[in-house]
């Protein structure tokens, strides 16, 4: 069986490391005798962070598309974005590179379906929220969404950009995320998504059973996807439903 070569578009260094380790371990669970080939293209993080901070998806997407083209030229069979916010570029990346993107939202949706959950709380960057990235796919799949209030979202942004992207795990991030998660549970959320991949480095400090770390889930799915048997590589499709809803 020919193994598919993943092309990772990386941002924060520590998060990139988590992706690589989780992906290769997941692949080893399928084929322990061989380490899979993979490609990683890291974009200029400071430039990407400025784009995210300014809410400039056009500038961010341009960086991601450039990275995707390099990975396509290098022989990647599918793309893996190591950032939730970067999924704003999924359609453009697929159009520009002719490669499928393993969409983190599709992977998470499948996990929610497996757990029979419908109402989810999302902890993310403000840009992920304002861009409606999860609204693009979750309501049509039958999942309603809860976000923290504006003040809490601002605190989350602060710890993401001042701590987590720098690899800092002993600051205020875990306390801020715990308070935000409690707020979403009070609104009826059945699960809390760490929908910023950089949150993975403090996920072990948020050890509640309803916490879903989208980073490890996505990376492990990439490791499994390496062994996809279909001739044409396709990203997983979203579960279908006729219950488009959103929490108030």
């Amino acid at each position: 069986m020919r193994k598919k070569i993943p092309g990772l578009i990386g941002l924060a260094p520590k998060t990139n490391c988590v992706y690589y380790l989780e992906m290769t371990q997941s692949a080893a669970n399928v084929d322990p005798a061989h380490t899979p080939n993979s490609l990683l293209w890291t974009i200029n993080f400071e430039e990407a962070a400025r784009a995210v901070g300014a809410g400039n998806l056009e500038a961010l997407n341009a960086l991601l598309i450039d990275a995707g083209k390099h990975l396509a030229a290098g022989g990647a069979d599918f793309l893996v974005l190591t950032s939730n916010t970067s999924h704003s570029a999924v359609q453009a990346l697929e159009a520009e590179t002719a490669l499928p993107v393993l969409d983190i939202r599709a992977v998470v949706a499948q996990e929610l379906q497996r757990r029979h959950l419908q109402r989810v709380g999302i902890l993310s960057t403000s840009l992920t929220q304002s861009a409606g990235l999860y609204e693009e796919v979750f309501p049509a799949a039958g999942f309603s969404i809860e976000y923290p209030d504006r003040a809490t979202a601002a605190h989350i942004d602060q710890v993401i950009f001042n701590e987590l992207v720098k690899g800092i795990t002993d600051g205020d991030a875990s306390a801020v995320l715990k308070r935000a998660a409690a707020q979403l549970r009070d609104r009826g959320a059945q699960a809390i998504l760490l929908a910023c991949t950089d949150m993975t480095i403090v996920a072990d400090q948020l050890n509640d059973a309803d916490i879903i770390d989208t980073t490890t889930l996505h990376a492990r799915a990439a490791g499994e996807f390496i062994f996809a048997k279909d001739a044409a590589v396709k990203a997983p499709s979203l579960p279908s439903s006729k219950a488009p809803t959103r929490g108030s």
Side-chain angles (χ1 to χ4, degrees):
M1 178 197 344
R2 178 184 178 272
K3 298 176 186 176
K4 312 299 185 291
I5 298 176
L8 281 68
I9 300 178
L11 284 102
K14 201 158 189 177
T15 304
N16 296 339
C17 292
V18 172
Y19 260 91
Y20 178 75
L21 290 171
E22 291 288 347
M23 182 183 71
T24 53
Q25 181 57 56
S26 177
N29 291 338
V30 180
D31 181 6
H34 301 95
T35 302
N37 297 118
S38 63
L39 299 170
L40 169 65
W41 186 275
T42 56
I43 64 177
N44 183 301
F45 182 76
E46 290 73 23
E47 196 172 348
R50 283 195 297 271
V52 172
N56 189 345
L57 284 178
E58 184 177 351
L60 176 64
N61 290 355
L63 293 171
L64 297 168
I65 291 168
D66 179 67
K69 289 179 177 178
H70 283 288
L71 290 168
D77 292 304
F78 67 97
L79 299 176
V80 180
L81 292 157
T82 70
S83 155
N84 274 266
T85 306
S86 296
H87 281 70
S88 61
V90 167
Q91 291 184 340
L93 271 169
E94 292 186 332
E96 292 286 342
T97 66
L99 295 178
V101 174
L102 186 68
D103 196 318
I104 196 169
R105 299 166 298 180
V107 172
V108 173
Q110 290 177 346
E111 176 65 11
L112 294 175
Q113 187 183 51
R114 186 187 69 81
R115 297 191 189 191
H116 305 289
L117 302 174
Q118 292 182 317
R119 194 174 187 88
V120 296
I122 293 182
L123 303 180
S124 68
T125 64
S126 293
L127 185 53
T128 291
Q129 178 179 346
S130 63
L133 297 183
Y134 277 86
E135 281 85 349
E136 289 179 2
V137 292
F138 268 26
F143 307 117
S144 61
I145 298 171
E146 291 289 349
Y147 287 110
D149 60 39
R150 188 171 298 178
T152 303
H155 289 150
I156 292 172
D157 277 344
Q158 288 173 1
V159 296
I160 288 172
F161 293 107
N162 294 335
E163 296 180 16
L164 299 181
V165 300
K166 299 175 183 178
I168 297 171
T169 59
D170 58 355
D172 297 329
S174 61
V176 169
L177 295 176
K178 285 178 181 178
R179 288 195 297 269
Q183 181 185 115
L184 297 178
R185 292 187 190 102
D186 288 343
R187 295 185 188 172
Q190 298 169 298
I192 309 297
L193 301 186
L194 302 184
C196 166
T197 56
D198 302 308
M199 293 176 184
T200 193
I201 66 172
V202 292
D204 60 348
Q205 300 176 33
L206 312 170
N207 53 7
D208 295 293
D210 62 348
I211 295 289
I212 297 178
D213 180 5
T214 63
T215 306
T216 55
L217 200 64
H218 191 212
R220 290 169 185 171
E224 295 171 359
F225 199 52
I226 289 169
F227 301 93
K229 294 182 180 179
D230 45 345
V233 182
K234 294 181 181 178
S237 58
L238 284 161
S240 60
S241 173
K242 294 184 179 180
T245 54
R246 176 177 175 172
S248 56

